[in-house]
Amino acid sequence: MGSLCNKCSQEDTDTDEERKPVLYLYPEEAIDVKIKLNFKNSKFSCVYPKFNESENTWKVRASPNGEITISDKKYPYLFWEAISYFKPDLSKGFIVKAEDAEKFLEEKLKMFGLNEKESCDFIAYWLPVLLKNKLSLCSFQTQKYFDNFEYEITPKPKTFLRVFMSIKKLDKEIKVEEQEIKETKREGFTVVEWGGDEINN
């Protein structure tokens, strides 16, 4: 089971890359799960483990401990990236200084309801991005993002927790309305997704 990775074309100058959305599955008992990803104005740049390309679909065996099995191989999560024309909403968010980035991520991810492993995975990937910026605008995307990148999961999870953070480097402090974060209570078959992007314009 390999990866599906394609380079974007030179013409894709008005796009962003949705980076490392990963999907964790936590059923109450070991079950077969079908996950189909639908998105608009986007194209995959990388998928791992490889899925059915004609249907954008994974068929997996999921266990309560989060282990995912495909063709006798074990994975901790499903991973994809995409080149997208989706424009994130930056009207609300948080101004984050590099020296405060670690604490900011720990606090906000806990509020969202990510567990220790998920938070550690998220921070290990995104903290270096925030540390290279003296100042960043961080905005967690909501329904606009969810509508652009939709999942069809069978059987349907009782809880679907999605965290997608857009980061824009700032040269100086700006005023932005602070986002309200509502914690999601994890019940029953739970699916967790996290990812993000860097805004370069």
Side-chain angles (χ1 to χ4, degrees):
M1 195 64 65
S3 66
L4 166 67
C5 294
N6 301 307
K7 298 289 185 180
C8 61
S9 72
Q10 293 291 329
E11 299 176 355
D12 291 324
T13 57
D14 193 29
T15 62
D16 288 315
E17 186 170 21
E18 315 311 317
R19 288 173 52 187
K20 205 178 181 180
V22 296
L23 204 67
Y24 305 84
L25 309 175
Y26 304 101
E28 294 184 291
E29 59 184 10
I31 57 172
D32 293 321
V33 184
K34 179 180 178 181
I35 305 104
K36 181 176 182 180
L37 178 58
N38 302 311
F39 54 39
K40 306 168 186 175
N41 301 317
S42 308
K43 63 182 180 181
F44 286 110
S45 55
C46 195
V47 177
Y48 184 81
K50 186 176 179 179
F51 61 12
N52 183 316
E53 296 179 38
S54 63
E55 299 179 352
N56 293 353
T57 299
W58 287 282
K59 293 181 179 179
V60 310
R61 184 72 173 175
S63 299
N65 65 359
E67 185 176 79
I68 297 170
T69 304
I70 304 176
S71 300
D72 297 325
K73 286 190 175 182
K74 311 294 184 182
Y75 303 91
Y77 49 68
L78 305 175
F79 158 78
W80 62 271
E81 288 185 340
I83 304 301
S84 171
Y85 289 89
F86 166 78
K87 294 302 179 184
D89 181 359
L90 303 179
S91 62
K92 298 180 181 180
F94 304 90
I95 306 302
V96 182
K97 296 179 180 179
E99 59 266 30
D100 300 328
E102 182 177 342
K103 182 180 179 181
F104 165 79
L105 292 176
E106 289 175 345
E107 289 180 349
K108 296 301 183 282
L109 296 178
K110 184 176 181 180
M111 291 172 67
F112 272 113
L114 268 63
N115 66 26
E116 289 184 358
K117 180 187 184 306
E118 297 153 4
S119 294
C120 183
D121 290 346
F122 186 105
I123 293 170
Y125 190 84
W126 288 109
L127 181 58
V129 177
L130 294 179
L131 290 178
K132 74 181 183 181
N133 300 338
K134 290 185 177 179
L135 200 63
S136 300
L137 168 61
C138 295
S139 180
F140 294 98
Q141 299 304 299
T142 54
Q143 198 60 47
K144 182 181 177 182
Y145 168 79
F146 304 152
D147 289 343
N148 201 79
F149 298 92
E150 296 181 326
Y151 289 94
E152 295 178 30
I153 303 175
T154 308
K156 186 177 180 178
K158 186 170 183 180
T159 304
F160 193 5
L161 199 169
R162 305 185 71 179
V163 180
F164 189 90
M165 183 177 70
S166 292
I167 302 170
K168 182 177 179 64
K169 180 181 178 180
L170 299 177
D171 295 323
K172 60 182 180 180
E173 289 217 31
I174 62 172
K175 291 185 178 180
V176 63
E177 183 179 348
E178 187 169 303
Q179 281 184 295
E180 180 183 359
I181 295 177
K182 296 182 179 180
E183 183 175 348
T184 301
K185 186 177 181 180
R186 300 165 74 135
E187 297 179 329
F189 176 22
T190 296
V191 176
V192 177
E193 179 202 47
W194 65 254
D197 60 0
E198 289 184 81
I199 310 304
N200 298 313
N201 50 44

